[in-house]
Amino acid sequence: MLFSQRPIRLLGRDRGGEARAVFLHPRHPIQLSATAATSVMAVWLPWSSVREIEPVMRPATRMETNSPLIRAAWSFLASLLTEQSDPTLYSDYLVERLLVEMVFGMLVETAPAPLPGPNDTAMIARARTLMLMNRSDPSFTVQAVSKALHLSLRQLQRVFAAAGSSPAAELRMLRVDLACELIRDEDYAGMGVLDIALHSGFRNSSGMRRAFAAAGLATPGRMRAEGTSSR
C-alpha cells in the first residue's frame, strides 16, 4: 500500500490514472511515476490478511483521498515517522496489526463491486473489518458494530446467522486469534497471561481461557509452555 504526498500516475492497465493512495496487487505488476518530487510511505502486509476480498480487487486499486480511513492512515503513518519515543514491548506488534486492519478496511470501502456470494457477504466483511480494527479494545462490543453499520442488533445477528455464525462468536474468535499470535511470537515472550488477555480485547484472563476452551484450544498457559518446549 503506497501513500504519496503528491499524486502519482499509474501506467499499464490503469494508464492515465492518478492517485495519492494506491494498493498494489502482488500478482499484477504495475508501473508508477511521480508527477513531481514527492515523499512516499509504503506499508507491506501479509497477503493472507486481504486474500478473502481478492475476487473484487483490481491489479492496482486507487483510493479516494477524502476517505476518512485514508486520512487517518496518512496521519497515523506520519506520526509514526516523527515519533521520538522508544517503542514498548507491545507497540511494534500492535502498530503492525492496526496498519493491516486499516488497509483491509480501505479495500472493503473501495471495492468496485459487492463481494461474491450471498447479498449479506459484503455486510459481514464490513462488520469483520470493524471488529478487526477494534478487537484489542475490551470495551468494544457487538452493539458497537451494529450501531456503526446502522443496523439493529437483531438484523446484524440475522446476517451472520445466514452464514452459519454470529457476531459475538466472530468477535471472540478474532480476539482468540490475536491472543494466539501474541503467545506464539517469541518477541512477546515477556508478556504475562493477563497482559495477553488485556491486549487481545479480553477483560480478564479467565475470559480468555473460556474463549480458548470454546474454540477447542489448549489453555493459554499450556499453549505457551508447548511453544517454549518445541523451541
Side-chain angles (χ1 to χ4, degrees):
M1 183 77 191
L2 294 182
F3 298 89
S4 177
Q5 202 168 34
R6 295 178 181 272
I8 49 179
R9 183 176 297 276
L10 283 67
L11 307 177
R13 185 175 299 186
D14 286 323
R15 188 181 303 277
E18 290 186 355
R20 289 180 56 195
V22 182
F23 180 83
L24 301 179
H25 196 297
R27 301 193 185 99
H28 299 280
I30 194 77
Q31 290 184 311
L32 303 174
S33 67
T35 58
T38 184
S39 298
V40 176
M41 294 184 287
V43 177
W44 280 267
L45 62 156
W47 183 243
S48 58
S49 64
V50 295
R51 185 184 295 120
E52 65 191 84
I53 59 172
E54 181 177 8
V56 297
M57 290 167 56
R58 295 186 296 267
T61 300
R62 292 190 296 270
M63 306 289 182
E64 294 295 332
T65 54
N66 61 354
S67 159
L69 270 176
I70 295 293
R71 294 199 304 269
W74 175 271
S75 299
F76 182 56
L77 285 168
S79 69
L80 289 177
L81 294 176
T82 57
E83 178 59 52
Q84 299 299 317
S85 61
D86 294 330
T88 67
L89 177 65
Y90 324 114
S91 61
D92 285 347
Y93 177 86
L94 296 176
V95 164
E96 289 172 6
R97 293 305 310 169
L98 180 57
L99 287 173
V100 166
E101 290 155 11
M102 291 178 81
V103 172
F104 181 86
M106 296 173 205
L107 292 172
V108 171
E109 184 179 62
T110 60
L115 295 175
N119 292 335
D120 291 336
T121 306
M123 185 63 70
I124 290 174
R126 288 194 289 272
R128 185 176 182 273
T129 299
L130 288 169
M131 293 178 189
L132 275 169
M133 295 178 67
N134 295 278
R135 62 179 173 173
S136 62
D137 179 2
S139 66
F140 184 77
T141 63
V142 170
Q143 286 81 357
V145 178
S146 64
K147 182 177 181 180
L149 296 177
H150 305 289
L151 296 173
S152 69
L153 180 58
R154 182 167 295 182
Q155 286 175 314
L156 183 65
Q157 290 169 335
R158 281 201 297 266
V159 167
F160 275 86
S165 183
S166 74
E170 180 77 9
L171 180 57
R172 182 173 62 249
M173 279 307 304
L174 289 173
R175 285 171 168 159
V176 167
D177 289 344
L178 177 55
C180 288
E181 291 175 14
L182 288 171
I183 289 170
R184 291 167 175 159
D185 194 322
E186 294 182 25
D187 291 339
Y188 302 95
M191 293 179 71
V193 171
L194 178 58
D195 286 333
I196 289 172
L198 297 177
H199 281 82
S200 302
F202 296 100
R203 294 185 180 276
N204 48 55
S205 55
S206 60
M208 181 172 68
R209 284 194 293 269
R210 288 194 298 271
F212 271 53
L217 299 173
T219 64
R222 182 175 179 182
M223 182 180 291
R224 165 161 284 175
E226 291 174 347
T228 302
S229 63
S230 66
R231 291 197 286 268

